[in-house]
Amino acid sequence: MATDSSHTNGDSNANNQIAQDYDLSQPITSKSGLRSGLTSYGDAHFSLFLRKVFIKALGYSDSALSSPIIGIINTYSSFNPCHSNVPQLIDSVKRGVLASGGLPVDFPTISIHESFSSPTSMYLRNLMAMDTEEMIRAQPVDAVVMIGGCDKTVPAQLMGGISANKPVVPLITGPMMPGSVEGVRVGACTDCRSYWAKFRAGDVDVEDIMSVNEELAPTGGTCGVMGTASTMACITAGLGLLELRGGATAAAVSSARLRVAEQAGRNAVAMLKRDNVKPQDLLTRESFLNAITVLQAIGGSTNAVVHLMATINRHPQVAGTIDLKTIDEIGRKTPLLVDLKPSGDNYMTDFHNAGGMLALLHTLRPLLHLNARTLTGQTLGELLDNTPFKSFAHSRQIIRSLDDPLYPQSSLVVLNGNICPDGAVMKASASKNRKLLHHQGTACVFENSADMAKRIDSPDLDVTENSILVLKSIGPVGNPGMPEAGLIPIPQKLGRQGVTDMLRISDGRMSGTAGGTIILHISPESADLESVFGIVQTGDKIVCDVEKRVLSLEVDQQEISRRVAARKERAQGSTGNSGAQPEQWLERNGRRGYRGLYEREVNQAHLGCDFGFLTAQGPTPGPSEDRQ
Ligand code: FES
């Protein structure tokens, strides 16, 4: 990228460039800014001429259009309160870009909010990743600031940004402020769930639950605990892509957040001028190992495991070098340090005030790969050397030291066994009854969400507090988008006896803001006709030993094989003339539209639930190729 230190030289370069645009005897050689990625009309000069015609309708001059163009992804939506500050952030980014000599141009992509996406936001994450990748590729931008925040938006942008491979700077919308109920601080969404559980158990009446509803999200911004959104923000900082002071943690409604946005604009231009560094060059295996260390140290959302695997598998040099075992191995060396809900007691604003990611990365320094590069051009080690942080008493209450952790190690664990040969994930640090981390009991099985809704609160349900609740058919294909239904509610009759936690197992996900002893992401999912999880029956014995990382179905192999064969026969028979509803797994090949694409191409949770054809390796055996 050519740069000019003097305004006069800049003008003369721009004039030369403009003259060349109309020199039909010479090809258009510049591949930057407005001259990059020309639309195909068979005449490049005409394509550029036409492009200028249209963009001038917006009032731009030839001179302005000769600057490096910094795209800004606008994910504002009136259905996305987590992104309510995006218009102000865009203004601030533009200020930073202009002050650094770039031309800011914002453009939209889809925006996804958890509560306004049916069937789930996860179902749309890959669509947003495709939208992000293709719009970055298609439009004449030299670098891009990607504004995201709500759970699936940041991973979608990381996935799309890595695949598009132009210089990208993530910008997080920031967490909301906590609210207050009778003098007690509350915030979405850990407290949403705990108050709802109290309401279900009859401990909170209807008037109180209605007033709580007013306070749980008192400002715009992402959920104010260590849910998926906050986790993804911290991971992005761990990757070296955010400002350490506030990039992940400054509140959405704070002036600090606006300054972070202005700096993001400056950073985008600086990256371009410095070395035009692209994400596939900037991010290395060490960057992702650091991100996993951060994930474990913050007791992050289990959803982030899926998103990280999807992001890693977008990177041609890193894909295949990190798997679920790597996440577990790093967990064994990494204590939980950050005291935030749902693993701890506090809110994101407390984390920010305690020093946020700057303080955490200084604390984690002995566990990090300090040679990983950051968007500043410095390695992580150099950046930390140049950005000191002095710990103080309040800081140490929220961000513990390595020798005084909140939980000694492995806040997130990966389990294996015959029921989950490709893995399952649990946030052990969020268990409310640690005895359940080593537990065996009989399965109480729900075949799908509708079955669960029908029977979970029945007084006749054959269940005790030692039972293991099993919910099937909420995996990537079984219930498209793998809903956050893994937090199976405690059956009402047990809740009324004071039971607050049970061992629960599913092939679905759980909100990062939720807690309990819950095993998720069973892979392969139950909808897969080969899945052992798919043939678990009520009354079967299941053993969970978190220390040994084992989850197994105590049914002999012959009986397992018999059940799998019988299930396949039943399912295949149902696609014939029996008139019965065929299983989801078999039905997916005949579906139209995005749902058909999703069900045919989505890979399993341990790979990230990406579409096989979007991964760095290209199409991989997924549900589109039955493993016969
Ligand atoms: Fe957007 Fe929680 S709903 S971050």
Side-chain angles (χ1 to χ4, degrees):
M1 171 63 52
T3 59
D4 307 297
S5 54
S6 94
H7 185 67
T8 312
N9 283 345
D11 280 353
S12 102
N13 281 352
N15 289 338
N16 287 342
Q17 183 67 73
I18 293 160
Q20 282 174 24
D21 293 343
Y22 295 93
D23 182 353
L24 301 184
S25 67
Q26 298 294 326
I28 295 169
T29 51
S30 172
K31 297 285 179 239
S32 64
L34 202 68
R35 293 153 189 89
S36 66
L38 291 168
T39 312
S40 289
Y41 291 114
D43 176 347
H45 288 89
F46 177 67
S47 296
L48 180 55
F49 173 75
L50 208 54
R51 178 172 279 180
K52 286 187 179 184
V53 166
F54 285 116
I55 202 160
K56 283 178 179 173
L58 291 168
Y60 291 99
S61 67
D62 270 317
S63 175
L65 292 168
S66 294
S67 304
I69 297 180
I70 309 299
I72 306 170
I73 296 183
N74 180 351
T75 50
Y76 178 81
S77 158
S78 295
F79 279 118
N80 194 345
C82 304
H83 291 205
S84 62
N85 60 345
V86 167
Q88 293 78 40
L89 294 180
I90 290 174
D91 284 347
S92 301
V93 175
K94 285 184 171 174
R95 191 162 62 242
V97 171
L98 288 167
S100 304
L103 177 67
V105 179
D106 59 295
F107 63 89
T109 68
I110 62 169
S111 185
I112 308 171
H113 183 275
E114 288 302 292
S115 288
F116 299 97
S117 305
S118 178
T120 69
S121 60
M122 185 67 176
Y123 173 70
L124 298 173
R125 184 203 63 182
N126 295 348
L127 183 64
M128 183 170 179
M130 290 169 80
D131 187 0
T132 303
E133 175 181 348
E134 295 306 329
M135 294 317 283
I136 292 175
R137 260 192 222 289
Q139 298 176 132
V141 290
D142 295 306
V144 179
V145 176
M146 308 187 295
I147 306 180
C150 194
D151 291 16
K152 309 303 176 289
T153 60
V154 173
Q157 291 180 333
L158 288 174
M159 292 159 69
I162 288 173
S163 294
N165 206 27
K166 286 185 186 177
V168 290
V169 175
L171 171 59
I172 306 296
T173 56
M176 64 176 68
M177 302 296 290
S180 174
V181 171
E182 294 176 352
V184 177
R185 289 194 308 165
V186 294
C189 229
T190 305
D191 301 318
C192 311
R193 295 173 203 288
S194 58
Y195 273 96
W196 190 249
K198 285 180 197 166
F199 177 60
R200 274 178 54 82
D203 295 339
V204 168
D205 66 23
V206 91
E207 273 177 22
D208 283 347
I209 198 74
M210 284 167 72
S211 62
V212 168
N213 187 269
E214 304 280 330
E215 272 299 307
L216 285 163
T219 72
T222 56
C223 289
V225 296
M226 193 52 82
T228 305
S230 303
T231 302
M232 289 309 304
C234 294
I235 281 177
T236 308
L239 285 170
L241 298 177
L242 293 183
E243 282 285 293
L244 296 187
R245 284 187 202 279
T249 56
V253 293
S254 65
S255 60
R257 178 55 59 191
L258 299 179
R259 287 189 288 277
V260 166
E262 182 183 306
Q263 187 60 41
R266 290 180 191 275
N267 286 342
V269 180
M271 271 175 95
L272 204 55
K273 289 183 174 178
R274 196 172 53 242
D275 49 8
N276 193 21
V277 67
K278 300 181 173 77
Q280 291 181 17
D281 300 322
L282 179 66
L283 298 172
T284 60
R285 182 168 189 269
E286 283 68 32
S287 317
F288 287 100
L289 297 180
N290 287 343
I292 295 168
T293 301
V294 167
L295 169 67
Q296 293 283 6
I298 61 178
S301 162
T302 46
N303 282 323
V305 175
V306 180
H307 299 320
L308 255 175
M309 290 314 303
T311 308
I312 287 165
N313 286 328
R314 288 296 186 103
H315 192 303
Q317 279 77 48
V318 184
T321 70
I322 294 176
D323 58 17
L324 289 186
K325 280 202 178 74
T326 321
I327 294 176
D328 191 72
E329 280 159 16
I330 290 176
R332 289 176 191 267
K333 296 181 282 195
T334 310
L336 171 62
L337 300 180
V338 178
D339 188 355
L340 252 62
K341 292 186 175 193
S343 295
D345 288 328
N346 299 292
Y347 295 88
M348 279 299 281
T349 45
D350 302 311
F351 183 39
H352 177 71
N353 293 336
M357 286 304 297
L358 178 62
L360 180 66
L361 291 175
H362 272 288
T363 309
L364 284 173
R365 192 174 175 130
L367 303 178
L368 295 171
H369 295 268
L370 298 173
N371 58 342
R373 291 172 71 197
T374 70
L375 90 168
T376 63
Q378 303 168 82
T379 65
L380 181 60
E382 291 164 346
L383 183 59
L384 289 173
D385 287 343
N386 294 328
T387 327
F389 178 77
K390 202 162 152 229
S391 194
F392 48 93
H394 171 68
S395 170
R396 274 291 170 241
Q397 283 169 20
I398 308 290
I399 305 167
R400 305 285 193 88
S401 63
L402 287 175
D403 46 21
D404 178 29
L406 199 65
Y407 194 75
Q409 58 173 34
S410 298
S411 57
L412 290 168
V413 300
V414 175
L415 304 170
N416 284 94
N418 60 352
I419 204 169
C420 53
D422 291 330
V425 173
M426 174 195 236
K427 190 194 273 196
S429 60
S431 167
K432 293 181 193 160
N433 178 357
R434 304 244 187 253
K435 282 191 203 146
L436 294 173
L437 299 179
H438 188 166
H439 181 68
Q440 53 179 292
T442 51
C444 173
V445 176
F446 301 100
E447 292 297 331
N448 50 49
S449 301
D451 181 33
M452 185 190 77
K454 201 161 87 188
R455 296 193 294 123
I456 188 84
D457 289 335
S458 163
D460 301 330
L461 186 69
D462 185 11
V463 68
T464 72
E465 63 183 306
N466 293 318
S467 301
I468 297 175
L469 301 177
V470 172
L471 175 56
K472 298 183 197 169
S473 288
I474 56 168
V477 175
N479 193 332
M482 208 182 168
E484 291 184 338
L487 182 72
I488 305 167
I490 302 293
Q492 207 169 47
K493 69 178 182 185
L494 295 179
R496 290 196 162 147
Q497 291 164 22
V499 177
T500 55
D501 197 8
M502 294 174 71
L503 185 60
R504 290 162 268 182
I505 305 178
S506 75
D507 48 9
R509 296 177 300 113
M510 173 178 87
S511 165
T513 61
T517 314
I518 295 168
I519 297 171
L520 305 152
H521 311 176
I522 296 268
S523 183
E525 64 174 306
S526 63
D528 184 335
L529 296 178
E530 299 282 340
S531 162
V532 173
F533 185 56
I535 53 86
V536 178
Q537 297 176 354
T538 291
D540 286 347
K541 193 164 121 193
I542 293 176
V543 172
C544 168
D545 185 337
V546 168
E547 185 58 34
K548 292 188 178 145
R549 304 293 197 263
V550 167
L551 179 69
S552 68
L553 177 67
E554 299 294 292
V555 170
D556 74 53
Q557 186 52 47
Q558 260 190 335
E559 172 61 9
I560 289 176
S561 304
R562 189 197 65 74
R563 287 191 202 171
V564 169
R567 181 179 180 227
K568 277 166 82 172
E569 208 176 297
R570 263 197 323 275
Q572 279 155 359
S574 73
T575 60
N577 295 327
S578 67
Q581 184 69 21
E583 298 237 9
Q584 184 82 27
W585 192 259
L586 299 171
E587 212 176 31
R588 68 192 187 280
N589 288 328
R591 286 198 198 279
R592 67 165 294 282
Y594 179 73
R595 180 161 173 182
L597 177 74
Y598 176 93
E599 290 185 13
R600 286 189 295 276
E601 299 297 339
V602 70
N603 59 28
Q604 290 289 290
H606 68 286
L607 297 172
C609 298
D610 199 0
F611 296 157
F613 65 88
L614 294 174
T615 64
Q617 290 104 334
T620 51
S624 54
E625 295 177 35
D626 285 333
R627 295 181 289 281
Q628 299 292 348

